[in-house]
């Protein structure tokens, strides 16, 4: 069979890695795919750089639409990123009858419903393994390996930048701003790290995982998104003393009335494997009713780890190039006419347990008043720890109270916090973090 001919849109970090991996492992890939896979065209505004990468192995152009218009191109690989021109090019490639591979989690989280519908109408594949957790094959695991299971929840460390920052804050006792500058110096964080540190990147990925796990349309606009910029080294230290580590988790969980879809800093017991994922590494936990808990760990970014996922998608397409569309694995694992109407639950309906830190006046009766307020909202206390006054900024007349709760609704906790914050003996804004046992 003739080779599958690929057009790369973008020859940056991932595009260069994709070209390199395909070239280096071409014989192994051919043996697995049943036919060769070759990059025939590359589009990049920096044609000089692109030519340095591919040499004379592929035609280099500056206009991505030349790739899409070429009738010899079977698969378009979109590695440009963002919501704008990338969306237009992907939809144009689909309209031209090209299969598409993309690493663009932002595009799919926001516009996936439209893109997948267009692909179904044209009978082409949109493959996106590289969009979540880099080289970890979590999309394939959810769509195929765990297909016998009713998935109960998915929780993942799916942003390496924030995991590196949190690991450094814990190891060195430094505040967020200091570690962010170091992460930027080392290349773990972008010059503008907003999408990473505000949780947006992880929430894009969590949206896709939730859609595949539960067979619901992609609905990023309904996800709760919270980053790590307000995290204090104090809370990381206290969490460690209590047997927890703080990780930025993307979580999708099935409830009776809907789906929780949320990304936020989370206390995780140190004894859990995922709590010990350090540096820029990624990991995803999946809980299925038949298989129990499975964990997927590896590099979530980088040239060749992400290229590994791109090439795996290309191999899948090569195997299915001549297959009828109905014989292919659906984009979101479930048949398009069988997607669930379960809603994304509002944050007030989310059920989790909490870590609270309160700076309070060190006097009798304060704790009783606070626990009374929690009791009025039906919130059960798991543990209360008081830090001695001399441990708290040298102030002898105030102390830190750390309260761990059992599971409750977020709305109930927020009502309790409002009443607690209004007490004259509560001397600073209360810190609230969510806690997940992941068991």
């Amino acid at each position: 069979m003739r080779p599958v001919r690929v057009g790369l849109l973008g020859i940056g970090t991932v595009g260069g890695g994709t070209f390199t991996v395909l070239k280096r492992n071409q014989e192994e890939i051919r043996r697995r795919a049943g036919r060769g896979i070759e990059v025939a065209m590359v589009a990049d505004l920096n044609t000089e750089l692109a030519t340095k990468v591919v040499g004379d192995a592929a035609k280099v152009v500056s206009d991505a639409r030349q790739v899409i218009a070429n009738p010899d191109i079977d698969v378009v690989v979109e590695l440009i990123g963002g919501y704008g021109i990338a969306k237009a090019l992907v939809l144009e490639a689909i309209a031209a009858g090209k299969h598409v591979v993309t690493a663009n989690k932002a595009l799919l989280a926001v516009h996936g419903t439209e893109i997948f519908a267009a692909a179904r109408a044209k009978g082409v594949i949109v493959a996106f393994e590289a969009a979540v957790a880099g080289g970890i094959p979590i999309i394939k695991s959810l769509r195929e390996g765990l297909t016998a299971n009713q998935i109960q929840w998915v929780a993942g460390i799916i942003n390496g930048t924030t995991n590196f920052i949190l690991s450094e804050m814990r190891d060195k006792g430094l505040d967020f701003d200091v570690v962010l500058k170091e992460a930027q110096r080392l290349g773990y964080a972008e010059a503008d790290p907003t999408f990473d540190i505000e949780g947006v990147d992880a929430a894009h990925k969590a949206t896709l995982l939730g859609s595949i796990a539960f067979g619901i349309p992609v609905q990023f606009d309904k996800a709760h998104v919270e980053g790590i910029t307000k995290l204090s080294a104090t809370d990381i230290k206290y969490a460690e003393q209590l047997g927890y580590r703080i990780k930025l988790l993307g979580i999708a969980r099935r409830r009776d009335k809907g789906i929780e879809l949320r990304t936020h800093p989370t206390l995780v017991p140190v004894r859990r494997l995922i709590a010990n994922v350090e540096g820029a590494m990624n990991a995803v936990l999946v809980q299925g009713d038949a298989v129990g808990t499975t964990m997927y760990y590896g590099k979530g970014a980088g040239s060749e780890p992400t290229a590994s996922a791109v090439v795996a998608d290309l191999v899948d397409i090569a195997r299915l190039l001549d297959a009828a569309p109905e014989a292919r694995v659906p984009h979101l694992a479930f048949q398009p006419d069988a997607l669930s109407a379960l809603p994304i639950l509002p944050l007030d309906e989310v059920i989790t347990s909490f870590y609270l830190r309160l700076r309070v006046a060190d006097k009798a009766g304060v704790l009783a008043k606070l626990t009374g307020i929690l009791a009025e909202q039906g919130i059960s206390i798991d543990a209360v720890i008081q830090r001695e006054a001399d441990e708290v900024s040298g102030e002898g007349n105030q102390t830190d109270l750390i309260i761990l709760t059992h599971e409750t609704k977020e709305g109930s906790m927020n009502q309790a916090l409002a009443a607690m914050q209004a007490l004259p003996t509560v001397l600073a804004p209360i810190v609230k973090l969510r806690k997940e046992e992941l068991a």
Side-chain angles (χ1 to χ4, degrees), residues 127-138:
F128 54 99
E129 183 67 66
V132 180
I136 303 173
I138 185 59

Side-chain angles (χ1 to χ4, degrees), residues 17 48 126 146 288 381 436:
E48 183 178 350
V126 174
L146 299 176
I381 295 174
E436 294 284 341

Side-chain angles (χ1 to χ4, degrees), residues 314-333:
L314 289 171
V315 170
D316 275 351
I317 290 173
R319 290 168 174 164
L320 296 169
L321 206 57
D322 301 317
E326 58 270 19
R328 300 167 183 159
V329 179
H331 293 108
L332 296 177

Side-chain angles (χ1 to χ4, degrees), residues 4-36:
V4 175
R5 294 171 64 83
V6 176
L8 286 182
L9 308 186
I11 195 71
T13 300
V14 178
T18 299
F19 181 83
T20 299
V21 170
L22 276 171
K23 183 177 180 181
R24 185 176 69 230
N25 296 336
Q26 59 181 305
E27 179 57 24
E28 194 83 353
I29 291 166
R30 186 194 62 76
R31 290 171 59 211
R32 293 182 176 183
R35 63 198 336 171

Side-chain angles (χ1 to χ4, degrees), residues 111-161:
H111 300 293
T113 299
E114 177 185 355
I115 288 168
F116 295 143
R120 286 194 300 273
K122 289 295 291 187
V124 299
I125 299 168
V126 174
F128 54 99
E129 183 67 66
V132 180
I136 303 173
I138 185 59
I139 302 296
K140 181 174 282 290
S141 297
L142 278 172
R143 291 203 314 179
E144 300 177 44
L146 299 176
T147 194
N149 290 258
Q150 183 181 82
I151 303 301
Q152 295 159 342
W153 53 261
V154 180
I157 297 169
I158 41 182
N159 181 273
T161 299

Side-chain angles (χ1 to χ4, degrees), residues 244 351-355 374 378-383 403-410 413 435 437:
Y244 293 88
I351 298 172
T352 188
S353 50
F354 291 90
Y355 159 104
L374 292 171
I379 299 170
S380 174
I381 295 174
D382 180 32
I403 300 175
L404 303 182
T405 77
H406 292 294
E407 284 191 340
T408 188
K409 283 188 177 181
E410 181 105 13
M413 176 56 71
K435 179 168 69 74
E437 291 300 317

